[in-house]
Amino acid sequence: MNQELEKLYPEALIGGGPIRTVFQAIQHRLRIIFPDQIYKHHIVPPHASKNDWGKIIGTTPAIALGWTGWNPDRDCGATFRGDMSFVLFGIVNGRSAAQLYFGDDRLRGAGTMGITALAAAALHGMDVPDMGACMVRKATVPTAAADWLKDGTAIVALEIAIENVAFDFGPLTEQLDDFLCLASKTQINGDTSQDATTHQIGDAT
């Protein structure tokens, strides 16, 4: 790909666009609420293996964040627009079932209920500029995790979403039209003036 054509690809999109913007905003807020001096922070791989999870739950307390999808609205029309979803995991240790739920009244010793309460209070309603407000849709204790969690370790999962996100934000709007109308000129039967192919992605109108 020549350099002139590559310039039409917005760096913001190549790096993840609005998905990355929201992810990093959530990540930043979590590092404030659950400071690095106490909590180990992880990014959950897109397809986490048993070995990946072993590393995540190996050091507690821990916070792990992953992206789970961006689902378009049925009536979004020609502009991609929909709800963006993320999952937050809190991993804790405790000597009893009560401690795994309630913790020991210290930030370092917060239980699954404490992690849920802290994260929900900090994230629900948090405004991400140009994107919208975060919503905590669900908090659960995954029963499927019981098979590979060590005794005295528990995990809580929170589903986080921002609704109705599109590409209509900030500097990206100025670059998007050029990207959507990528065109290349090739030689056909010796005629280099003829547009041989036009690659259009989405609706450039």
Side-chain angles (χ1 to χ4, degrees):
M1 181 182 295
N2 63 55
Q3 292 183 349
E4 290 300 317
L5 184 59
E6 189 162 348
K7 288 179 182 178
L8 297 179
Y9 287 76
E11 290 183 10
L13 284 185
I14 296 174
I19 310 170
R20 181 175 181 171
T21 298
V22 177
F23 187 96
Q24 291 181 330
I26 296 172
Q27 193 177 45
H28 178 71
R29 178 63 66 93
L30 289 172
R31 288 185 181 275
I32 294 173
I33 303 304
F34 303 102
D36 291 335
Q37 301 93 317
I38 298 176
Y39 285 82
K40 180 72 173 178
H41 286 259
H42 302 274
I43 293 176
V44 181
H47 185 68
S49 66
K50 185 176 180 179
N51 186 54
D52 291 327
W53 278 111
K55 294 176 181 177
I56 291 172
I57 66 177
T59 304
T60 56
I63 296 294
L65 181 65
W67 171 57
T68 56
W70 189 5
N71 300 314
D73 298 333
R74 291 183 179 180
D75 58 350
C76 67
T79 301
F80 188 94
R81 179 182 297 276
D83 296 352
M84 203 176 286
S85 301
F86 303 84
V87 62
L88 163 66
F89 297 99
I91 302 96
V92 302
N93 269 351
R95 296 180 179 178
S96 66
Q99 193 172 13
L100 288 171
Y101 277 132
F102 309 134
D104 62 6
D105 298 323
R106 298 178 303 148
L107 179 58
R108 181 181 298 277
T112 51
M113 291 181 182
I115 295 288
T116 300
L118 290 167
L123 294 174
H124 193 83
M126 180 188 78
D127 182 64
V128 180
D130 296 320
M131 302 294 152
C134 280
M135 298 177 61
V136 176
R137 287 181 167 172
K138 185 192 300 184
T140 58
V141 177
T143 56
D147 292 338
W148 43 268
L149 285 176
K150 296 181 294 184
D151 289 343
T153 303
I155 186 169
V156 61
L158 285 81
E159 181 184 326
I160 304 163
I162 290 191
E163 297 180 342
N164 204 32
V165 181
F167 292 103
D168 54 353
F169 71 97
L172 182 59
T173 56
E174 302 171 5
Q175 306 173 52
L176 203 55
D177 283 348
D178 289 338
F179 171 65
L180 296 178
C181 292
L182 286 176
S184 64
K185 189 176 293 186
T186 57
Q187 181 173 338
I188 296 181
N189 297 326
D191 182 3
T192 59
S193 65
Q194 182 177 359
D195 285 336
T197 58
T198 300
H199 308 290
Q200 182 165 313
I201 305 174
D203 184 356
T205 59

